Amino acid sequence: MIRVLGIETSCDETAASVVALDGASAPEILSNIVLSQIEEHAAFGGVVPEIAARAHVEALDGIVEAALADSSVSLDEVDAIAATAGPGLVGGLIVGLMTAKAIAAAANKPLIAINHLEGHALTARLTDGLDFPYLLLLVSGGHTQIVAVRGVGDYQRWATTIDDALGEAFDKTAKMLGLPYPGGPNVEKAAASGDANRFAFPRPMKGSAQPDFSFSGLKTAVRQAATAIAPLSDQDVADICASFQAAVADALDDRVGRALARFRQEFPRQAKPALVVAGGVAANRTIKATLEALCSQAGFAFVAPPQKLCTDNAAMIAWAGIERLRAGIADENAADFVPRSRWPLDSVSAPLVGSGRRGAKA
Ligand code: KG4
Ligand code: ZN
């Protein structure tokens, strides 16, 4: 039996969780507490790093206590503490990692420093028991990546954004149209009563041999369309949102379709390959339906973990700790680990200019 306490503070969620793995049976999330700071940042239209760091300081001790109480596991019974050590907003990372170091030292437990992206990458093994290798599409406010997940600690980034992250594009579009923060859910809601064919927005990178994403040109096209017909009626806003969402879905269809084909080529023996989605944007029903159809056409399983585990949480961090312990690759001596605001999952792929890290939100 392995039990790990996970801590996540890399952006605007303060989270703690206890996850257990008992032999060959399925892992169990014993507690999963997430405190969102959305309301504290809403007035500013985005995450303010200083506010986030301060809110983490105030909340984290109570959240850890609540996670332990909820799990009915005492600190003594925990095998290790796993904490997000990057990438993300450095203030929040410091709060989480320092707290984890203090708890680990006081309780005489090993500390495991976890890459937040690895948490997202391994979630489908916690929820669906997926075997390696599989393909991950991570679409959040700070990241837009396609990653080949080949094993614990063995990741290869196949695509990233060369400008804005997809969630960021949703948030900026919402802001331009006067919709509240966070933009994604509000754009989706408005789009429901809109005409997706009214505006012919560009499908960025569609057909390009370069595998990456780009969303800033689409954002500019939205701004130009909105300016041209201002003042906007509710119907105009709905039509722009629907047309924007259609353009995004179409662009994803092309980019992800390309990655599925590459996966088939690189892993020809995988009879039923899988595409996993993670990140807040994965909640979008139009995008989900597009990816589902694409996967069914390409013979891929489409795996969408419950939304609570797709967005930022600490269960994925605790689970990554368990995976590393089990694989014997946990750096259990992380007492000297310094938080890394930039920390690519894959040290092999060349970094791209402006790879969609707003602040460094993942
Ligand atoms: O993963 P997440 O909760 O947080 C991080 O970025 O770390 O993702 C938040 C992002 C925001 O940009 C938000 O606007 C977007 O996900 N989002 C959506 C939807 N729900 C959240 N985008 C499109 N459609 C949605 N339904
Ligand atoms: Zn994240």
Side-chain angles (χ1 to χ4, degrees), residues 19 27 114-136 138 147-155 276-278 303 305 309 313 315-327 329 345:
V19 176
I114 299 290
N115 182 312
H116 176 88
L117 300 173
E118 178 170 62
H120 281 302
L122 297 176
T123 299
R125 289 167 55 75
L126 167 64
T127 57
D128 293 76
L130 221 60
D131 285 329
F132 297 121
Y134 54 87
L135 206 55
L136 170 77
L138 172 61
V147 178
V149 182
R150 303 189 296 188
V152 181
D154 185 5
Y155 315 102
V276 177
V277 287
V303 181
L309 297 171
N313 66 86
M316 70 179 187
I317 303 304
W319 173 247
I322 290 180
E323 288 264 38
R324 286 195 162 259
L325 281 174
R326 192 167 56 163
I329 53 168
L345 240 196

Side-chain angles (χ1 to χ4, degrees), residues 149-164:
V149 182
R150 303 189 296 188
V152 181
D154 185 5
Y155 315 102
Q156 202 176 50
R157 195 188 70 205
W158 283 1
T160 185
T161 176
I162 57 174
D163 40 57
D164 292 346

Side-chain angles (χ1 to χ4, degrees), residues 16-168:
S17 162
V18 179
V19 176
L21 181 69
D22 191 359
S25 53
E28 209 181 331
I29 299 172
L30 301 179
S31 63
N32 185 19
I33 313 271
V34 180
L35 178 71
S36 168
Q37 304 172 359
I38 277 189
E39 280 173 18
E40 275 147 281
H41 299 287
F44 304 93
V47 177
V48 183
E50 289 74 15
I51 294 178
R54 229 167 296 159
H56 287 306
V57 172
E58 279 165 22
L60 186 56
D61 286 357
I63 296 287
V64 169
E65 268 173 35
L68 285 168
D70 239 34
S71 69
S72 303
V73 171
S74 70
L75 196 51
D76 225 28
E77 293 166 321
V78 156
D79 294 282
I81 323 288
T84 301
L89 298 172
V90 78
L93 293 172
I94 291 172
V95 174
L97 194 56
M98 295 307 146
T99 301
K101 283 181 185 180
I103 296 173
N108 197 20
K109 302 285 177 182
L111 170 70
I112 310 170
I114 299 290
N115 182 312
H116 176 88
L117 300 173
E118 178 170 62
H120 281 302
L122 297 176
T123 299
R125 289 167 55 75
L126 167 64
T127 57
D128 293 76
L130 221 60
D131 285 329
F132 297 121
Y134 54 87
L135 206 55
L136 170 77
L137 172 67
L138 172 61
V139 274
S140 70
H143 287 271
T144 303
Q145 303 192 349
I146 298 177
V147 178
V149 182
R150 303 189 296 188
V152 181
D154 185 5
Y155 315 102
Q156 202 176 50
R157 195 188 70 205
W158 283 1
T160 185
T161 176
I162 57 174
D163 40 57
D164 292 346
L166 184 50
E168 197 178 359

Side-chain angles (χ1 to χ4, degrees), residues 268-300:
R269 285 207 304 271
Q270 190 90 347
K272 184 74 180 173
L275 173 74
V276 177
V277 287
V281 185
N284 186 287
R285 273 160 297 209
T286 302
I287 291 174
K288 231 179 196 166
T290 302
L291 295 171
E292 228 163 347
L294 176 69
C295 282
S296 107
Q297 214 174 21
F300 274 63

Side-chain angles (χ1 to χ4, degrees), residues 140-142 167-168 170-171 182-185 188 279-281 283-284 310-312 361-362:
S140 70
E168 197 178 359
F170 268 94
D171 293 340
E188 179 172 18
V281 185
N284 186 287
C310 266
T311 54
D312 290 351
K361 206 172 174 224

